[in-house]
Amino acid sequence: MSSWAIVGATRGIGFEYVKQLSLDPKNTVIALIRSQATAGPLNELAATRKNIRIIETDLSSLTSLKETADSISKVTAGKLDVLIYNAYSSGTDEARLLTPSAFQGKEDIFKREIDESLNVNLFQVVHTVNALLPLIENGQQKKIIYISSGIGDIPTTRAIEMPNFLGYSVSKAAGNILMAKYAVELKAKGILTLALSPGWVETDAGECISSSPEAFQWMLASFQKMDPRVKGMISTEESVKSQLSVIDSLDEKLTGAFISHRGNDKDWF
Ligand SMILES: NC(=O)c1ccc[n+]([C@@H]2O[C@H](COP(=O)([O-])OP(=O)(O)OC[C@H]3O[C@@H](n4cnc5c(N)ncnc54)[C@H](OP(=O)(O)O)[C@@H]3O)[C@@H](O)[C@H]2O)c1
């Protein structure tokens, strides 16, 4: 009997986590969503599987997070085995493609880019983890997983030579160090953390890339500078299957690390 909470569970990788985990009737899967607007497929799945609970939550509100912790506690009898923080911000439309020096004279745009990204990818992570920590302490597995990105990795950035996506990259890098800090702090309580990159995955997030041949070729060529074997995106199914195997292997030796769905810090795609 394991309990899992997936933050950002309506679409893409988060929804695939709910799908794969709820296949096992011994799992209780809490799908945390910000709104019903995109929750159609999730609602349909939950109607067929009794072990899925959908809870609407506002990650920007401490009150809402407290209520969410109480709601989860009622479903799981006061415990949570694994928390997966998957929600994210990719920055702002106006700044996503700007390189650092292009922000000269656009300091307000730079601030919005960093604020927006850090808000979801760092601040709300701390608030969510802290709100759910008492439940995790009571869990058996005691695991906190932060879905990160290879784009927030310094050696990868140097290898793929991608100078933009500044807010996204900086905030994911911040999330990675945050997981290491939690790991060091919570080790004595048996709580394990991991920053986990899902690979390059076909989801709505990547649609602007996959639907434009030029954008796709640019990104593919960038990734191939680091790994010539990369041919394109992988499916959510493959990514989450691999991620679950990495989460399964998370132990005291690995806690606080930042690795990919392939279980290492080299194969990011
Ligand atoms: N796809 C890739 O290639 C790739 C690569 C590296 C890392 N990642 C990481 O993988 C994770 C999932 O990405 P994805 O590709 O699956 O994206 P996606 O298809 O756009 O799905 C994002 C999910 O997060 C939810 N979400 C976003 N902001 C939220 C917020 N403030 N509060 C609550 N929920 C929120 C969305 O809910 P709504 O439906 O309400 O919008 C949606 O369910 C992200 O952390 C991303 O950085 C993805």
Side-chain angles (χ1 to χ4, degrees):
M1 217 23 209
S2 290
S3 47
W4 300 70
I6 316 299
V7 184
T10 52
R11 297 181 286 124
I13 291 164
F15 181 49
E16 183 65 31
Y17 263 114
V18 177
K19 269 204 252 180
Q20 292 194 20
L21 288 167
S22 62
L23 264 177
D24 182 347
K26 291 197 292 304
N27 287 332
T28 300
V29 186
I30 315 284
L32 297 177
I33 67 171
R34 62 175 158 181
S35 104
Q36 280 289 338
T38 51
L42 175 64
N43 287 325
E44 278 172 34
L45 185 69
T48 64
R49 294 185 189 169
K50 287 198 176 86
N51 58 345
I52 301 174
R53 294 298 170 92
I54 301 170
I55 298 176
E56 274 182 64
T57 188
D58 176 0
L59 303 178
S60 67
S61 156
L62 294 179
T63 310
S64 172
L65 285 170
K66 169 83 181 76
E67 288 165 5
T68 300
D70 292 344
S71 304
I72 295 176
S73 181
K74 281 184 192 131
V75 176
T76 60
K79 68 176 191 98
L80 184 62
D81 285 305
V82 187
L83 167 64
I84 299 179
Y85 189 97
N86 165 77
Y88 81 110
S89 163
S90 62
T92 60
D93 290 345
E94 59 185 347
R96 202 166 291 126
L97 296 180
L98 298 183
T99 57
S101 68
F103 286 106
Q104 189 169 24
K106 295 183 177 138
E107 287 74 15
D108 51 339
I109 294 179
F110 177 58
K111 182 152 183 1
R112 279 200 292 278
E113 167 76 357
I114 298 298
D115 283 351
E116 156 76 22
S117 314
L118 280 183
N119 204 20
V120 185
N121 302 344
L122 180 74
F123 289 111
Q124 292 176 10
V125 185
V126 174
H127 300 151
T128 305
V129 170
N130 289 350
L132 302 185
L133 208 46
L135 303 182
I136 296 166
E137 275 190 54
N138 291 338
Q140 287 246 300
Q141 295 195 47
K142 302 189 204 308
K143 291 178 179 174
I144 299 168
I145 313 298
Y146 172 73
I147 305 301
S148 187
S149 169
I151 287 178
D153 178 58
I154 292 174
T156 303
T157 299
R158 295 176 67 224
I160 66 178
E161 299 181 310
M162 198 174 277
N164 40 26
F165 298 111
L166 202 57
Y168 181 68
S169 311
V170 165
S171 59
K172 288 290 190 181
N176 298 340
I177 191 83
L178 175 68
M179 284 303 113
K181 298 284 183 188
Y182 269 125
V184 172
E185 182 201 347
L186 301 173
K187 209 173 190 172
K189 291 183 171 172
I191 295 175
L192 306 169
T193 78
L194 190 65
L196 179 58
S197 168
W200 190 22
V201 191
E202 200 159 7
T203 65
D204 289 352
E207 205 192 322
C208 59
I209 300 292
S210 53
S211 60
S212 153
E214 295 79 28
F216 177 80
Q217 275 313 321
W218 168 75
M219 197 157 260
L220 179 62
S222 301
F223 293 160
Q224 284 177 338
K225 287 181 195 170
M226 184 175 198
D227 185 347
R229 296 167 304 174
V230 185
K231 295 284 178 285
M233 298 180 198
I234 59 173
S235 67
T236 53
E237 193 181 350
E238 179 183 344
S239 168
V240 170
K241 202 169 162 217
S242 304
Q243 289 181 66
L244 282 170
S245 140
V246 175
I247 293 170
D248 191 46
S249 72
L250 174 57
D251 59 12
E252 299 79 22
K253 269 195 214 140
L254 196 57
T255 188
F258 170 37
I259 56 174
S260 77
H261 63 304
R262 310 246 184 241
N264 64 44
D265 61 359
K266 288 181 181 53
D267 304 309
W268 295 103
F269 309 106

